[in-house]
Amino acid sequence: MRYVRFMSIEELGKYLRGEKLENHTVWKDRGDKTDSVGFCFFDDSEPPQKRLEYYSRGITCSTDVWAVFEQISGEPLRQCTGIYLDPEKDNASIEQKMLEAFTAVLCGKFPDIPTMEVTEYSTTEYSQETLRLVAVGRESYHGIHWLSQAEMEELLPKKPQAVLSVFGGTAYECRNCGDEVRKYLPYCPWCGQMQDWSDVDEP
């Protein structure tokens, strides 16, 4: 069985750099309807696009990409149960949902939301030693797009190039496109390349 995780580019970068990722969050203590602890995964019994139909609603964590893994060592991921919105029963129109949200704010009366139980898997830590990366995908206008190795590298933050500015101080250029990028800006405004400022001294 393969495992699918929706994650941020930052988390993917840490994994690809060989870091061990750790997360000991007890999600039900934070109000989430799941008994998962740490990192949450789905199995591959449904395609990622279908998972996104209910995962992306009400989830506040970043879902820049989804990664498919195979376990190669370590303790098996713990099987858990999460409660999600049921998209097949959620037939309310946008206008109706806006009215229900407005009513909830004014009157404190919240609508009944159709939900369903979904099998999840969780672990408090993982790395390249325990989970092997099989594929990385992103949403596109044409459906799911599975990234090549070169495309994955483009997603990861790159350290900007320090150069001499026209005023004699230090300026920075994006290593992807060569245009100037303002210090500590998380991405290049010209090409979108994420920037890594971890080794840059504070002003």
Side-chain angles (χ1 to χ4, degrees):
M1 178 173 63
R2 291 180 172 179
Y3 299 99
V4 179
R5 174 161 171 76
F6 299 99
M7 62 170 64
S8 66
I9 291 175
E10 180 183 6
E11 181 179 337
L12 175 64
K14 290 180 179 179
Y15 172 86
L16 292 176
R17 290 193 293 270
E19 298 181 28
K20 182 171 76 171
L21 293 102
E22 296 188 43
N23 182 353
H24 298 274
T25 303
V26 180
W27 293 107
K28 65 180 180 181
D29 291 348
R30 299 181 57 169
D32 290 355
K33 296 179 179 179
T34 176
D35 55 354
S36 293
V37 178
F39 298 103
C40 302
F41 297 76
F42 295 110
D43 58 38
D44 61 349
S45 60
E46 293 183 329
Q49 302 97 310
K50 187 170 181 63
R51 299 285 193 192
L52 272 176
E53 289 181 9
Y54 51 83
Y55 178 82
S56 59
R57 305 187 188 190
I59 303 297
T60 56
C61 56
S62 179
T63 55
D64 298 324
V65 298
W66 52 79
V68 182
F69 294 95
E70 286 181 345
Q71 186 162 19
I72 54 177
S73 68
E75 293 292 326
L77 273 63
R78 187 171 70 91
Q79 184 171 323
C80 314
T81 301
I83 305 297
Y84 292 87
L85 183 145
D86 188 341
E88 295 184 0
K89 296 180 180 179
D90 182 32
N91 299 317
S93 65
I94 301 247
E95 292 79 9
Q96 183 178 347
K97 290 179 180 178
M98 291 178 65
L99 178 60
E100 290 174 346
F102 184 69
T103 303
V105 171
L106 286 181
C107 308
K109 182 180 179 181
F110 294 89
D112 293 330
I113 299 175
T115 59
M116 61 181 181
E117 292 188 352
V118 177
T119 299
E120 300 176 330
Y121 300 84
S122 70
T123 181
T124 55
E125 60 182 48
Y126 76 97
S127 67
Q128 293 183 16
E129 295 181 356
T130 57
L131 296 179
R132 182 177 70 85
L133 184 64
V134 176
V136 176
R138 298 191 83 175
E139 281 189 290
S140 72
Y141 291 112
H142 305 290
I144 184 172
H145 173 64
W146 296 105
L147 305 181
S148 67
Q149 183 65 35
E151 288 173 319
M152 275 196 291
E153 291 177 357
E154 289 177 1
L155 282 177
L156 303 180
K158 294 181 179 178
K159 295 184 183 299
Q161 176 68 48
V163 296
L164 184 66
S165 74
V166 294
F167 302 105
T170 301
Y172 297 92
E173 293 179 351
C174 173
R175 288 186 183 272
N176 188 53
C177 69
D179 280 315
E180 184 175 353
V181 60
R182 185 180 299 175
K183 192 175 184 180
Y184 297 127
L185 195 67
Y187 59 89
C188 174
W190 310 105
C191 71
Q193 173 66 52
M194 299 294 290
Q195 303 295 309
D196 178 6
W197 299 97
S198 59
D199 294 335
V200 176
D201 294 334
E202 293 288 340

